[in-house]
Amino acid sequence: SQIKPLKRGGGRRYYRPDDLEFLRGLKHLLHAERYTIKGVQKIIKDQGVKAVQRVGRESLASRLAPDVT
C-alpha cells in the first residue's frame, strides 16, 4: 500500500523516484541486511516510509561511490 504508481496511457505504470527509493531500501533490508518481512513492516510502522527510502538512497550512494582505499 506504500507504493502507488501513476497509470499512464495504455495502462502502463509510472513509478516516481520516491517509489524507487522505497523499493531499493526494501530490497536492501530484506536481502543485504537479512530482515524478515515482519521486521521491515515494524520499521515502516515505527519509523515510517521515509526511513526505508533513506536506506534506499544510502544503498545506491554506496554502490555508486568510487572505492577509495
Side-chain angles (χ1 to χ4, degrees):
S1 65
Q2 284 80 18
I3 300 171
K4 294 182 178 92
L6 300 171
K7 291 265 183 135
R8 296 291 181 157
R12 291 179 294 168
R13 291 178 178 91
Y14 175 76
Y15 293 92
R16 288 168 267 171
D18 286 347
D19 294 335
L20 295 177
E21 285 178 351
F22 176 76
L23 291 170
R24 196 175 294 116
L26 188 64
K27 180 182 174 188
H28 180 79
L29 289 171
L30 290 171
H31 295 284
E33 300 293 325
R34 310 283 292 170
Y35 275 82
T36 62
I37 293 172
K38 285 196 179 265
V40 175
Q41 287 173 336
K42 184 169 173 29
I43 290 173
I44 293 169
K45 181 182 173 199
D46 295 343
Q47 300 175 24
V49 172
K50 296 289 184 187
V52 178
Q53 288 174 336
R54 190 170 34 256
V55 170
R57 276 193 302 274
E58 291 168 0
S59 170
L60 180 64
S62 68
R63 286 189 311 175
L64 296 178
D67 190 22
V68 179
T69 53

